[in-house]
């Protein structure tokens, strides 16, 4: 289970899954989903997309394997998934991606603006951080993937002192700019063959270093062929500097010229690109591979960072670079990490993100790898990699231009219903392929361009049926009742090997202008053909037959309700170009609707279908016998459907459900049952506790007349005065649970009465905010975890629920200082304090007698407290002190540490002798090891004497 990261390339990864992985998780692993690998164990469902930026690696799933390797008795026990890095979304190694089919041109653009132009139009990679780069870029990119184009721009705008690069982050964003802004260009890690370890500012990583080299690609001059054809080719050249030191057999400086072809390079960039190409070949090719076995380099460096490598035996040293590492001076070489391969151990979380953004934890279903890292620095003395195309013969410029194609009329067309239910029109164009303007046959044709737009000169006729649907004041002139539409040219591209094209989504009955021209493979563009005008097929599609209406009758009227459904079934599924319904009434159940049976027209539009608003219409018919009602659907063009089935209604009492108009003041008692009521306002009372519904919204008032709830109909805003509860028991949320407390939100657990809460206090114009857990027990004392935020202080602490006194660990953060520690019984013990002028760390600094702490200032360090006198030490103590009395008249003192220390100790000793000694005696450390040391005096001590010492373990 390994990951191979590669700078500006795809890289690859592979994960072995256990055969016991649940089937539902295995089935969810779909192609082009994402796998994230995170240091440590986390819950992916909790952190979600935040993992995309915090993960050590994010890759795209592009391969899977389900096989049986016969290792176990479990079928299909060889399960693997694999893929590549996030660079895939810019383009793969074969140039596939969101290719620019239309040219993207930058003219004297800044680096950031150029990169923005080149981001994929698909949105697969979005802008991250674009750092400024000196200079401006001019160039055109077409038929390239964004990866190739962005790499080209970064190479072109790089200089020897400021190389430029890019990277795709785990969240699908792109960072680009100087390498110093993207990577660590000042190494903090040294890879050494022997003597690894940590220094104050440098980390030494052990590894074997393998170096290979050759001069197979060595070049002394580059000639670059840029844009143009034949004799008009733009060129750029660059020569090696300083001159080569290599000689031929006759002692002459060797001359090796390389020709590079980049037909997409603009003439203004030719010299720069030539110099970049030469920079790849001016030194012998050297590839370095670093094998760091059983060591995880995470945190030491990452892909793209620079590291030091030092192995004098293999020539890996640079006299111009000098670093001090663990007391030794080294002259390493400085390399950029271009590839890192590492194993996914049990210390990682592996998660999969579906296309819908759902996270699945795979950690318990993977076979972990052993620790180990391979670091590759390929051609570390080369600035860039080549993007040139092979050199071939370039013919003379193609000056032939395609002639004008000729349309074949009339065009075929028809009307159709789109997926929204609107009538649209399509037309099939056909044309004859042209010759070149010089009469020769077109052998290099590439494509046709067709453009079309609404014709604004045509007179649009109208039928009387169409006129009947429009108000007189909405008509235009008598000659042209409908205004001619306007529109811009729309363009489509068709391959040269076809002579037909279909235009869709046209407006029925509308005139269109269309033109066509040819383009050959060299880019020569022919002239547009003359304009051909055609009229799109008229809307001749009638609506579907509507379902029978629902009818309620009285002796004075018939009320029709229709849910705009088809006779074949369903509701609100008639076509979207519906305009209105005709209502026909007769005494015969099988009557045929005509002008004599028409009783009215009622609007029925796409908006009513979409909002599912039924048609309700009242026909004034004074009759007591049975009547039959049929409806006909009419679209905006005037096409009529067949009549619906007949619905019948017989008059009922005047005071029942068939009253279509009622004055509310005349209702004195009883109940109103209705699907809707239209009124200026509805309210339960004028004063006191009441509810009111009006055009403004919905309102509630309390006894004092204060509005306690308002739902604003125009904005959707809701204001509440009082408490808000999501339930009455169990897990729930309560807002402002009681008026006697501060503004507060409470979260209740599934059971019990304990709750966590957030509350706030106001101090003038400032607001203080507190967040508290439910109480819990600490050795018989009820405590709460609390975060308290004010305009001057942020506190995170465990406090007593009764006195709010700190009890346990705490953190204070303010604009001027940071304080952390441990408190118990009102006393702060373990303590850290940091400010602009002081840092303090220690124990109980408020206790002048027993406090032990250190203060750090800008120019000094101060220690307050005592050191324990030597008694017995542990084998891993790094520093200790002591006082030991010597034997009278002795010339030496041997001291044992008691325990054998883990490593060698360095003692620092001073001697105190009796004051009767006339001469000061000299002393030395005559022996020292991990078990003790011996102090030797220059003469016998006179009286009582003592040894004072410090011991440092190294």
């Amino acid at each position: 289970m390994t990951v191979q990261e590669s700078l500006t390339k795809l890289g690859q990864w592979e994960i072995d899954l256990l055969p016991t992985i649940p089937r539902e998780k295995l089935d969810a692993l779909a192609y082009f989903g994402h796998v994230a690998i995170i240091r440590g164990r986390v819950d992916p469902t909790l952190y979600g997309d935040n993992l995309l930026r915090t993960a050590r690696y994010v890759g795209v799933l592009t391969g899977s394997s389900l096989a049986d390797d016969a290792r176990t008795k479990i079928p299909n026990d060889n399960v693997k998934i694999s893929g590549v890095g996030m660079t895939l979304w810019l383009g793969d190694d074969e140039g596939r991606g969101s290719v620019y089919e239309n040219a993207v041109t930058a003219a004297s653009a800044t680096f950031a603006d150029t990169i923005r132009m080149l981001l994929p139009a698909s949105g697969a990679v979005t802008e991250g951080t674009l750092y400024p780069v000196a200079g401006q870029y001019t160039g055109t990119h077409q038929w390239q993937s964004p990866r190739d184009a962005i790499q080209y721009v970064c190479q072109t705008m790089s200089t020897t002192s400021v190389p430029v690069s890019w990277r795709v982050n785990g969240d699908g964003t792109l960072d680009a700019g100087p390498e110093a802004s993207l990577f660590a260009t000042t190494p903090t890690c040294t890879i050494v063959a022997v003597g690894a370890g940590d220094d104050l500012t440098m980390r030494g990583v052990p590894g074997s270093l393998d170096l290979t080299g050759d001069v197979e690609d060595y070049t002394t001059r580059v000639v670059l062929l840029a844009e143009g054809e034949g004799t008009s080719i733009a060129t750029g050249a660059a020569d090696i500097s300083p001159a080569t030191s290599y000689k031929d057999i006759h002692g002459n400086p060797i001359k090796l010229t390389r020709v590079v072809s980049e037909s997409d390079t603009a003439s203004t960039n030719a010299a720069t690109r030539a110099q970049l190409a030469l920079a790849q070949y001016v030194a012998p090719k050297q590839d370095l591979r670093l094998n760091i076995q059983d060591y995880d380099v995470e945190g030491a460096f990452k892909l793209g960072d620079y590291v030091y490598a030092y192995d004098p035996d293999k020539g890996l040293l640079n006299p111009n670079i000098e670093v001090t590492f663990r007391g030794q001076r080294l002259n390493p070489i400085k390399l950029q990490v271009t590839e890192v391969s590492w194993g996914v151990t049990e210390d990682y979380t592996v998660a999969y993100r579906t296309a819908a953004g759902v996270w699945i934890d795979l950690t318990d279903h993977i076979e972990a790898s052993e620790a180990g890292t391979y670091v590759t620095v390929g051609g570390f003395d080369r600035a860039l990699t080549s993007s040139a195309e092979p050199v071939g013969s370039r013919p003379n410029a193609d000056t032939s231009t395609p002639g004008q194609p000729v349309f074949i009329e009339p065009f075929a067309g028809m009307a159709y219903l789109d997926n929204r239910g609107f009538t649209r029109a399509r037309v099939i164009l056909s044309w004859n392929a042209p010759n070149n303007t010089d009469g020769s046959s077109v052998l290099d044709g590439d494509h046709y361009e067709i453009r079309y737009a609404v014709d604004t000169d045509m007179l649009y006729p109208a039928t009387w049926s169409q006129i009947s649907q429009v108000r007189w004041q909405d008509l235009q002139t008598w000659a042209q009742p409908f205004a001619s539409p306007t529109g811009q040219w729309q363009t489509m591209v068709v391959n040269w090997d076809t002579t037909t094209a279909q235009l869709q989504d046209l407006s029925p009955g509308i005139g269109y202008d269309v033109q066509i021209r040819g383009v050959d493979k060299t880019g020569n563009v022919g002239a547009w053909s003359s304009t051909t005008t055609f009229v799109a097929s008229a809307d001749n599609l009638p609506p579907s037959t509507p379902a029978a209406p629902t009818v309620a009758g009285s002796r004075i009227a018939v009320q029709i309700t229709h849910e705009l459904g088809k006779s074949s079934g369903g509701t609100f599924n008639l076509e979207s170009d519906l305009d209105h319904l005709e209502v026909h009434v007769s005494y015969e159940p099988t009557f045929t609707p005509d002008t004599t049976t028409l009783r009215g027209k009622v609007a029925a539009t796409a908006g009513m279908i979409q909002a599912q608003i039924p048609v309700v219409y009242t026909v004034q018919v004074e009759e007591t016998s049975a009547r039959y009602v049929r409806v006909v659907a009419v679209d905006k063009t005037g096409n009529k459907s067949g009549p619906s089935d007949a619905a019948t209604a017989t008059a009922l009492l005047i005071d029942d459900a068939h009253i279509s108009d009622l004055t509310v003041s005349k209702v004195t008692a009883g109940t109103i049952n209705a699907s809707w009521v239209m009124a200026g306002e509805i309210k339960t009372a004028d004063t006191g506790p009441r509810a009111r519904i009006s055009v403004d919204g919905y309102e509630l008032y309390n006894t004092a007349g204060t509005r306690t709830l308002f739902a604003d109909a125009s904005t959707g805003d809701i204001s509440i005065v009082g408490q808000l509860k999501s339930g009455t028991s169990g897990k729930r949320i309560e807002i402002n649970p009681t008026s006697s407390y501060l503004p507060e939100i409470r979260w209740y657990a599934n059971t019990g009465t304990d709750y966590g809460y957030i509350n706030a206090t106001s101090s003038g114009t400032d607001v203080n905010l507190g967040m508290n857990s439910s109480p819990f027990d600490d050795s018989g004392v009820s405590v709460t975890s609390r975060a308290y935020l004010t305009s001057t202080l942020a506190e995170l602490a465990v406090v007593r629920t009764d006195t709010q006194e700190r009890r346990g660990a705490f953190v204070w953060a303010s604009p001027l200082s940071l304080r952390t520690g441990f408190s118990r019984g009102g006393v702060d013990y373990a303590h850290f304090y940091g400010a602009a002028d002081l840092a303090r760390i220690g124990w109980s600094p408020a206790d002048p007698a027993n406090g032990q702490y250190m203060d750090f200032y800008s120019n000094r360090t101060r220690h307050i407290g005592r050191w324990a006198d030597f008694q017995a030490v542990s084998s891993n103590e790094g520093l200790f002190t002591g006082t030991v009395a010597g034997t009278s008249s002795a010339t030496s003192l041997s001291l044992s540490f008691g325990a054998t220390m883990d490593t060698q100790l360095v003692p620092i000793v001073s001697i105190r002798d009796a004051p009767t000694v006339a001469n000061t005696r000299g002393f030395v450390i005559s022996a020292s090891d991990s078990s003790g040391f011996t102090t030797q005096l220059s003469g016998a001590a006179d009286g009582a004497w003592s040894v004072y010492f410090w011991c440092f373990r190294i």
Side-chain angles (χ1 to χ4, degrees):
M1 180 174 174
T2 57
V3 174
Q4 177 182 325
E5 301 179 75
S6 187
L7 186 64
T8 69
K9 298 186 182 300
L10 294 182
Q12 60 185 0
W13 58 268
E14 183 177 80
I15 294 177
D16 295 321
L17 299 176
L18 297 173
T20 55
I21 182 174
R23 188 69 193 188
E24 60 273 13
K25 288 191 176 182
L26 185 60
D27 291 342
L29 303 179
Y31 293 135
F32 297 109
H34 293 80
V35 168
I37 302 174
I38 309 101
R39 165 69 74 176
R41 291 300 182 93
V42 298
D43 183 357
T45 60
L46 179 63
Y47 291 91
D49 285 353
N50 292 322
L51 297 179
L52 296 176
R53 287 308 296 259
T54 59
R56 179 177 181 182
Y57 180 80
V58 178
V60 185
L61 194 156
T62 59
S64 62
S65 173
L66 183 62
D68 192 344
D69 64 2
R71 293 182 301 167
T72 67
K73 295 182 179 180
I74 302 175
N76 297 325
D77 58 354
N78 186 10
V79 184
K80 299 177 183 291
I81 56 175
S82 59
V84 296
M86 293 295 288
T87 301
L88 173 69
W89 297 123
L90 280 184
D92 63 11
D93 292 336
E94 298 179 359
R96 292 178 300 177
S98 184
V99 172
Y100 312 118
E101 297 186 27
N102 298 316
V104 177
T105 301
S108 300
T110 64
F111 174 79
D113 288 341
T114 302
I115 298 300
R116 290 190 185 100
M117 295 180 193
L118 298 176
L119 289 174
S122 63
V125 178
T126 58
E127 180 179 340
T129 302
L130 302 180
Y131 299 94
V133 174
Q136 295 177 322
Y137 177 80
T138 297
T140 299
H141 297 272
Q142 189 174 18
W143 312 117
Q144 283 182 301
S145 69
R147 173 184 165 190
D148 293 337
I150 291 172
Q151 179 75 354
Y152 182 96
V153 172
C154 289
Q155 290 177 347
T156 304
M157 300 193 72
S158 291
T159 64
T160 303
S161 59
V162 184
V164 179
S165 189
W166 56 271
R167 67 184 176 206
V168 179
N169 301 309
D171 61 352
T173 58
L174 176 79
D175 297 343
E179 286 187 354
S181 300
L182 301 177
F183 311 115
T185 55
T186 300
T188 60
C189 179
T190 300
I191 301 174
V192 293
V194 294
D198 289 341
D199 202 351
L200 184 62
T201 60
M202 187 70 62
R203 188 178 208 181
V205 177
S208 62
L209 298 85
D210 301 327
L211 180 67
T212 60
D214 61 66
V215 290
E216 295 177 359
D217 294 330
Y218 185 73
T219 302
T220 62
R221 175 177 170 82
V222 165
V223 176
L224 185 135
L225 308 182
E227 64 183 354
E229 298 290 344
T231 58
S232 63
I233 295 176
T235 62
D239 292 285
I240 189 171
S241 179
T244 179
S245 60
Y246 297 105
K247 309 289 184 179
D248 60 23
I249 194 170
H250 299 294
N252 304 310
I254 65 172
K255 183 175 182 180
L256 298 172
T257 301
R258 181 182 297 268
V259 179
V260 177
S261 177
E262 291 186 355
S263 59
D264 291 334
T265 292
S267 59
T268 55
N269 295 329
T272 300
R273 296 294 300 177
Q275 189 64 51
L276 290 171
L278 177 64
Q280 303 173 74
Y281 310 112
V282 294
K285 175 184 176 183
Q286 292 180 301
D287 293 312
L288 181 64
R289 185 172 176 85
L290 314 175
N291 181 6
I292 307 174
Q293 290 285 8
D294 303 324
Y295 194 91
D296 193 345
V297 299
E298 183 180 11
F301 58 83
K302 61 181 183 296
L303 188 69
D305 289 349
Y306 283 79
V307 298
Y308 288 134
Y310 182 67
D311 191 344
D313 295 337
K314 295 180 179 177
L316 299 180
L317 74 164
N318 184 351
N320 297 321
I321 298 177
E322 182 177 290
V323 298
T324 302
F325 177 64
R326 306 190 71 185
Q328 298 183 9
R329 292 185 178 181
L330 307 181
N331 298 103
I333 60 174
K334 180 179 175 182
L335 313 172
Q336 186 178 30
V337 177
T338 59
E339 186 176 293
V340 180
S341 298
W342 47 278
V344 182
T345 66
E346 295 179 349
D347 298 328
Y348 287 92
T349 296
V350 179
Y352 173 79
R353 183 184 185 273
T354 69
V358 178
W359 285 86
I360 300 173
D361 193 352
L362 302 178
T363 308
D364 295 333
H365 311 294
I366 65 172
E367 293 187 4
S369 300
E370 298 294 330
T373 304
Y374 288 92
V375 179
T376 300
V377 183
F380 52 84
D381 53 346
R382 299 182 181 179
L384 298 168
T385 58
S386 175
S387 63
E389 60 195 19
V391 178
S393 60
R394 292 199 179 192
N396 290 330
D398 177 11
T399 59
S400 62
T401 302
Q404 294 181 353
V406 178
F407 281 119
I408 301 174
E409 297 185 83
F411 302 142
M414 63 177 295
Y416 68 96
L417 287 175
D418 65 11
N419 55 8
R420 299 170 300 165
F422 290 100
T423 302
R424 309 300 293 165
R426 65 166 59 96
V427 66
I428 299 176
L429 309 176
S430 59
W431 59 91
N432 292 319
N435 291 327
N436 286 316
T437 54
D438 58 7
S440 62
S441 298
V442 178
L443 301 179
D444 59 347
D446 186 74
H447 64 273
Y448 295 100
E449 293 180 358
I450 299 173
R451 67 181 184 182
Y452 59 98
V454 173
D455 178 65
T456 58
D457 299 325
M458 177 176 288
L459 296 180
Y460 291 94
T463 65
W464 286 113
S465 176
Q466 292 172 322
I467 292 293
S468 66
Q469 317 303 324
V470 183
R471 298 179 304 172
W472 181 261
Q473 58 266 35
D474 293 334
L475 297 177
Q476 307 301 312
T477 66
W478 181 260
Q480 186 169 328
F482 296 121
S484 57
T486 60
Q488 301 297 320
W489 287 109
Q490 300 183 59
T491 304
M492 66 181 299
V493 176
V494 182
N495 291 335
W496 188 268
D497 57 1
T498 185
T499 55
T500 61
Q502 181 173 259
L503 304 182
Q504 297 198 89
D505 201 31
L506 304 177
S507 298
I510 298 299
Y512 285 86
D513 294 335
V514 61
Q515 295 177 330
I516 185 172
R517 68 180 178 183
V519 182
D520 65 20
K521 295 184 182 298
T522 311
N524 296 317
V525 180
W528 288 108
S529 68
S530 58
T531 301
T532 300
T533 302
F534 67 90
V535 178
S537 299
D539 181 2
N540 55 6
L541 301 176
S544 301
T545 301
T550 301
V551 181
S554 73
R555 70 179 306 275
I556 61 174
V558 174
Q559 187 179 72
I560 296 95
T561 302
H562 200 282
E563 294 186 334
L564 302 179
K566 299 178 180 179
S567 61
S568 58
T571 59
F572 303 104
N573 58 359
L574 285 172
E575 289 73 15
S576 296
D577 62 346
L578 186 65
D579 184 77
H580 66 274
L581 297 180
E582 290 183 353
V583 180
H584 295 262
V585 181
S586 181
Y587 302 99
E588 296 294 332
T590 60
F591 74 95
T592 299
D594 56 24
T595 55
T596 62
T597 60
L598 180 62
R599 291 294 181 269
K601 299 177 182 180
V602 56
T605 64
M608 298 173 67
I609 294 174
Q610 191 173 23
Q612 298 193 353
I613 300 174
V615 170
V616 180
Y617 186 66
T618 300
V619 179
Q620 302 297 326
V621 179
E622 186 172 356
E623 187 57 63
T624 57
S625 60
R627 272 126 325 147
Y628 299 90
V629 180
R630 307 179 80 175
V631 295
V632 174
V634 183
D635 65 17
K636 293 181 178 180
T637 309
N639 298 310
K640 294 184 179 182
S641 71
S644 71
D645 291 339
T648 184
T650 304
L652 300 175
L653 296 176
I654 194 67
D655 55 355
D656 209 334
H658 304 89
I659 301 176
S660 62
D661 190 9
L662 180 65
T663 301
V664 176
S665 62
K666 296 180 181 179
V667 179
T668 58
T671 301
I672 298 176
N673 294 318
S675 298
W676 64 86
V677 175
M678 298 181 62
E681 65 176 355
I682 299 175
K683 56 186 177 181
T684 59
D686 291 326
T687 60
R690 63 191 185 277
R692 176 177 179 265
I693 302 176
S694 68
V695 69
D696 298 327
Y698 185 74
E699 303 169 81
L700 298 178
Y701 293 83
N702 61 15
T703 305
T706 300
R707 186 166 68 182
T708 57
L709 183 144
F710 177 53
D712 194 314
S714 61
T715 65
D717 295 342
I718 298 176
S719 62
I720 299 175
V721 178
Q723 301 179 25
L724 179 63
K725 298 183 179 181
S726 65
T728 57
S729 63
K731 60 180 182 181
R732 63 191 187 277
I733 298 175
E734 295 186 2
I735 301 177
N736 284 343
T738 172
S739 60
S740 61
Y741 288 104
L742 304 173
E744 188 170 287
I745 304 175
R746 294 180 181 177
W747 284 264
Y748 284 83
N750 289 348
T751 59
T753 60
D754 286 348
Y755 57 86
Y757 61 95
I758 297 176
N759 58 14
T761 61
S762 176
S763 176
T765 59
D766 297 323
V767 175
N768 303 328
L769 186 66
M771 182 167 61
N772 305 265
S773 72
S774 59
F776 58 94
D777 181 74
D778 176 31
S779 302
V781 178
S782 178
V783 295
T784 297
S785 298
R786 181 182 71 181
Y788 184 55
L789 310 176
T790 73
S791 58
T792 58
L793 178 70
E795 179 192 57
L796 177 64
V798 178
V799 301
R800 295 176 60 115
T801 56
D802 53 354
T803 64
Q804 303 298 298
E805 178 184 274
R806 294 192 302 277
R807 183 179 175 86
F810 67 91
V811 178
W812 282 3
S814 72
L816 299 178
S817 64
L818 170 69
R819 187 189 305 270
T820 67
F822 180 84
S823 181
R824 181 72 73 176
V827 177
D828 292 344
Y829 292 102
H831 187 85
F832 172 80
Y833 173 83
D837 56 349
L838 171 66
R840 171 175 291 170
I841 184 170
W843 179 86
S844 196
D847 185 347
N850 301 308
Q852 306 288 320
Y853 58 93
M854 297 188 74
D855 286 346
F856 301 89
Y857 304 87
S858 62
N859 57 359
R860 63 192 176 98
T861 301
R862 182 167 172 259
H863 172 246
I864 305 298
R866 302 172 60 191
W867 292 89
D869 198 6
F870 168 76
Q871 297 295 327
V873 294
S874 300
S875 64
N876 60 354
E877 285 197 38
L879 171 65
F880 58 90
T881 184
T883 302
V884 179
T887 305
S888 176
S889 301
T891 60
S892 66
L893 174 66
S894 294
L895 176 66
S896 173
F897 301 137
T900 299
M901 307 303 289
D902 290 346
T903 56
Q904 174 70 44
L905 268 74
V906 176
I908 299 176
V909 176
S910 63
I911 301 295
R912 179 185 61 80
D913 203 349
T916 59
V917 177
N919 298 317
T920 302
R921 302 189 188 282
F923 64 93
V924 296
I925 306 299
S926 59
S928 175
D929 56 26
S930 60
S931 60
F933 67 88
T934 299
T935 300
Q936 187 74 44
L937 275 69
S938 60
D942 187 3
W945 63 290
S946 299
V947 176
Y948 304 101
F949 64 88
W950 289 86
C951 284
F952 297 84
R953 186 164 66 87
I954 61 174

